[in-house]
Amino acid sequence: MNEKRHKYAPKLVIGAGTGLGECLLIWNGKYYQACPSEGGHVDFGPRNEEQSHILDYLRNKYNSSQGGSPHVSVERLCSGKGIEEIYRYLRHRYPENVHRESDAEFDRAVEKAVVVTEHGKKCLLSASSRGIGILGAKLFSSNGGDVGSSSRKNESLLMQQALELFVAIYGAEVGNAALKFLPFGGIYIGGGIAANLKEYLQLSPTFLSCIRDKGKMGQIVRKMPIKLILSDGVAIRGAETVARRKLQAFLDDI
């Protein structure tokens, strides 16, 4: 992720958390100016059969409240709420693979995405420590059977699959935004979810591979540096910077 950053080139800031925020930064001759967007509300585009099933599931779940609209935004899946939705879909589709204890914890929790994330991370880290490797998105067969090791039935593999699917969808959307904005100044991954998944993203190849899996355009995305924002309070500091600039502009006009 250490590709050369082009000085003064556009930058992309994208972050999943409560929702999905996407912002372009453009050099105006003095500093980088933020250009807001509503990129998180574009249509979700599934990349494989499992994701197509998720799309159908969400359309059936929400179409009554949307007047029958087929629209499902990428934010519906690329957010904390999205992690919850993905797990709900998986336990609906693969009830035989539900881990009772962790599922009960999910139902009791207020922050349900946290439960899925923590169990998913634990499952992957446990597998890695035993040299089993990454499960990937195809954790279960179409009939619901576990295609992993039978010695791991006491772990919530379903929650790890939910996390892998989330990471794949998130990575794909980062790549989509990169192709739209061409941020050779860098792709900056913000939001609380990615920071919390730092170790997971280092172990699982899913996120980075989905960012760059853009066919013949993948070679372009590979030239863009990718950085993970770990600092707390970035949004507040950004708002403070904008307020300071506006105040200075006002004082200069007096």
Side-chain angles (χ1 to χ4, degrees), residues 14 19 22 34 44 46 56 64 83-84 90 127 161 176 180 182 185 187 197 206 208-211 214-215 234-235 249:
I14 181 169
E22 300 183 7
F44 165 61
D56 290 339
S64 60
I83 295 175
E84 177 183 338
L90 287 174
Q161 189 190 25
N176 290 341
K180 294 172 184 175
L182 298 178
I187 299 171
L197 291 176
T206 302
L208 188 58
S209 65
C210 287
I211 291 176
K214 299 301 176 187
V234 172

Side-chain angles (χ1 to χ4, degrees), residues 87 91 94-107 119 122 140 152-159:
Y87 177 70
R91 74 175 182 180
Y94 304 110
E96 301 88 348
N97 292 300
V98 171
H99 183 247
R100 291 183 180 180
E101 288 79 4
S102 57
D103 188 64
E105 183 182 351
F106 174 86
D107 285 333
H119 279 283
K122 180 181 178 181
F140 299 105
R152 304 169 66 190
K153 289 183 178 178
N154 63 331
E155 298 177 2
S156 182
L157 301 182
L158 201 65
M159 289 191 176

Side-chain angles (χ1 to χ4, degrees), residues 129-142:
S129 67
R130 297 200 300 272
I132 294 175
I134 307 302
L135 294 177
K138 293 185 178 179
L139 182 62
F140 299 105
S141 61
S142 58

Side-chain angles (χ1 to χ4, degrees), residues 16-238:
T18 305
L20 176 65
E22 300 183 7
C23 175
L24 178 65
L25 302 178
I26 296 179
W27 182 255
N28 66 5
K30 295 181 179 179
Y31 53 80
Y32 274 97
Q33 183 169 344
C35 302
S37 83
E38 290 294 346
H41 294 282
V42 302
D43 293 309
F44 165 61
R47 301 176 69 245
N48 55 41
E49 184 178 357
E50 191 74 89
Q51 292 184 17
S52 292
H53 288 312
I54 295 175
L55 178 59
D56 290 339
Y57 170 83
L58 291 175
R59 279 175 172 165
N60 290 332
K61 183 175 181 179
Y62 291 106
N63 66 351
S64 60
S65 63
Q66 296 179 352
S69 170
H71 172 73
V72 173
S73 70
V74 68
E75 182 181 82
R76 181 75 74 177
L77 291 158
C78 244
S79 60
K81 195 70 175 177
I83 295 175
E84 177 183 338
E85 292 284 14
I86 292 170
Y87 177 70
R88 288 186 185 279
Y89 155 76
L90 287 174
R91 74 175 182 180
H92 170 77
R93 183 168 172 79
Y94 304 110
E96 301 88 348
N97 292 300
V98 171
H99 183 247
R100 291 183 180 180
E101 288 79 4
S102 57
D103 188 64
E105 183 182 351
F106 174 86
D107 285 333
R108 292 192 304 267
V110 175
E111 298 290 339
K112 298 183 186 298
V114 174
V115 175
V116 177
T117 299
E118 292 307 310
H119 279 283
K121 289 195 300 183
K122 180 181 178 181
C123 190
L124 177 62
L125 295 175
S126 175
S128 178
S129 67
R130 297 200 300 272
I132 294 175
I134 307 302
L135 294 177
K138 293 185 178 179
L139 182 62
F140 299 105
S141 61
S142 58
N143 62 6
D146 184 355
V147 298
S149 170
S150 60
S151 65
R152 304 169 66 190
K153 289 183 178 178
N154 63 331
E155 298 177 2
S156 182
L157 301 182
L158 201 65
M159 289 191 176
Q160 200 234 327
Q161 189 190 25
L163 198 54
E164 276 287 286
L165 283 168
F166 165 78
V167 167
I169 293 168
Y170 192 3
E173 178 56 20
V174 172
N176 290 341
L179 287 178
K180 294 172 184 175
F181 297 133
L182 298 178
F184 291 105
I187 299 171
Y188 292 81
I189 312 294
I193 295 177
N196 185 40
L197 291 176
K198 177 184 176 182
E199 189 174 6
Y200 187 98
L201 297 178
Q202 290 174 331
L203 285 172
S204 171
T206 302
F207 187 61
L208 188 58
S209 65
C210 287
I211 291 176
R212 294 172 169 173
D213 184 17
K214 299 301 176 187
K216 63 183 180 181
M217 293 292 106
Q219 59 184 329
I220 294 178
V221 180
R222 287 179 179 275
K223 297 177 182 179
M224 302 171 185
I226 302 173
K227 305 293 183 181
L228 180 61
I229 300 173
L230 299 176
S231 301
D232 293 330
V234 172
I236 297 298
R237 291 202 295 274

